[in-house]
Amino acid sequence: MSHEILANWNGVEMPLSEVTVSALDRGFLFGDGVYEVLRVYKGQPFLEAEHLERFRRSLDKISIVCQVDRLIERMQMTLENSGVTEGMIYMQVTRGAAPRTHRFPSGDVPPNELIYVEPMEVDHYAEAREQGAAVITVPDLRWKRCDIKSINLLANCMAAQQAAEQGCIEALLVNADGTVTEGSHTSVFGVRDGHVLTSPLSPSILPGITRGLVTRLAGRCGIPLHETSFSAEEIPQLDELFLTGTTAEVVPLIRVDGNLVNDGHPGPITRRLQRAYQEFVAESLSI
Ligand code: PDD
């Protein structure tokens, strides 16, 4: 495997470093596009159907017309040619390049379609998964359609940066009404009296693919789960907290805004769901 990250740009395979984008690309000018991130385990995309279904929904919701089946073929080809076994696939489609006007361009402007496959040489979450991680809470400054996996991520980036500056792995986003919606790039779960809580699906959160899997795994494990949000004020009453995401998997939280969760130790329900997640990955690879 070469060290170059392999990309497919509008149907042409090339090193990612050689992809050039028009300054009039609407993704570049307006953030007018959507994306998807998939994890690759042992050379196989994980929960591929679920990610692609969400990608189709994101495209539909912003009325970008694109042949997803063609993208899937390119994705499989790029993955194979990259030789990556442990890594992630990034997929992005923008409304294409056209003279700058806010309204969508008229006529046949082809979308710009990018796919790249990045090897994961280091698993940045490995220690957090084992030891538990610290987070902060910040106001959720995002727009009102967080269910769309839009490439507009400024509020998410600002929140993640604030967390990093405080030595934390993630920022939990808190709505004006005090509810915790999700993380800047992860879904959030709480545990209270043996019951798992997570925000219900709504335009305020991304329908996380890992979130969906973990809710199903909780069912398999006989752990009661409620799609009910909790507020930032209620965090001290939670017994456990954890994050989920494609690359994060399941990460226990042991500190929120400097206050310990479960005396600073990953809790038993989080550990059970981490094991169930690993078992599910192993199962899905052996099929
Ligand atoms: N982030 N919430 C937000 C705002 C996210 O950006 C993500 C994913 C998640 C978790 O979703 P999933 O389980 O489908 O990965 C929740 C991706 C990985 C990213 O932006 O890199």
Side-chain angles (χ1 to χ4, degrees):
M1 185 175 45
S2 79
H3 290 290
E4 281 279 19
I5 293 174
L6 190 62
N8 185 302
W9 173 237
N10 292 327
V12 183
E13 210 164 271
M14 60 176 83
L16 180 61
S17 59
E18 287 175 22
V19 173
T20 53
V21 185
S22 162
L24 289 179
D25 177 76
R26 290 181 61 93
F28 180 62
L29 291 178
F30 295 116
D32 186 357
V34 291
Y35 76 108
E36 200 49 62
V37 178
L38 291 83
R39 180 73 161 83
V40 175
Y41 294 109
K42 298 210 163 94
Q44 294 175 43
F46 184 58
L47 301 175
E48 183 180 355
E50 287 87 341
H51 280 279
L52 294 170
E53 176 51 33
R54 182 173 67 186
F55 196 47
R56 284 182 203 275
R57 285 203 310 271
S58 291
L59 287 161
D60 276 355
K61 285 173 183 171
I62 68 164
S63 310
I64 290 184
V65 181
C66 139
Q67 292 179 38
V68 176
D69 289 344
R70 200 171 65 177
L71 283 188
I72 298 169
E73 279 171 29
R74 287 181 198 164
M75 181 188 89
Q76 286 159 348
M77 206 171 63
T78 315
L79 174 60
E80 208 175 298
N81 294 342
S82 71
V84 167
T85 50
E86 295 301 311
M88 67 112 183
I89 301 170
Y90 182 84
M91 213 188 243
Q92 172 181 305
V93 174
T94 73
R95 206 179 304 280
R100 185 183 179 279
T101 54
H102 283 66
R103 54 159 299 177
F104 301 167
S106 47
D108 273 341
V109 175
N112 272 330
E113 300 167 345
L114 172 70
I115 298 163
Y116 69 83
V117 180
E118 189 175 334
M120 252 175 72
E121 271 131 23
V122 186
D123 182 349
H124 295 290
Y125 286 100
E127 194 188 326
R129 248 179 249 127
E130 213 37 59
Q131 313 288 328
V135 296
I136 55 169
T137 58
V138 301
D140 190 344
L141 301 178
R142 299 174 303 161
W143 69 329
K144 296 190 173 75
R145 291 303 305 274
C146 298
D147 54 316
I148 300 172
K149 202 159 168 59
S150 151
I151 59 173
N152 281 276
L153 291 171
L154 181 56
N156 307 61
C157 293
M158 288 166 66
Q161 177 61 19
Q162 250 181 287
E165 284 171 7
Q166 295 184 42
C168 290
I169 198 167
E170 176 61 302
L172 308 189
L173 308 178
V174 183
N175 251 346
D177 69 1
T179 54
V180 175
T181 51
E182 58 183 334
S184 76
H185 56 288
T186 53
S187 309
V188 180
F189 292 73
V191 180
R192 190 166 52 203
D193 301 329
H195 292 242
V196 179
L197 310 173
T198 195
S199 296
L201 295 182
S202 81
S204 303
I205 67 161
L206 182 80
I209 302 303
T210 322
R211 171 194 178 282
L213 173 61
V214 166
T215 57
R216 297 194 294 280
L217 292 175
R220 269 205 201 179
C221 298
I223 301 168
L225 182 141
H226 310 272
E227 296 190 46
T228 310
S229 12
F230 51 87
S231 68
E233 273 189 359
E234 288 174 300
I235 290 177
Q237 280 104 56
L238 294 175
D239 305 314
E240 301 177 35
L241 274 158
F242 61 91
L243 304 175
T244 67
T246 292
T247 47
E249 301 175 353
V250 179
V251 174
L253 299 183
I254 52 168
R255 201 183 281 267
V256 180
D257 293 328
N259 303 310
L260 293 184
V261 179
N262 192 39
D263 295 328
H265 302 289
I269 289 185
T270 310
R271 287 294 195 216
R272 179 76 197 87
L273 290 170
Q274 282 185 303
R275 275 202 308 281
Y277 183 92
Q278 288 315 325
E279 285 159 13
F280 186 87
V281 172
E283 260 175 52
S284 64
L285 291 175
S286 58
I287 291 166

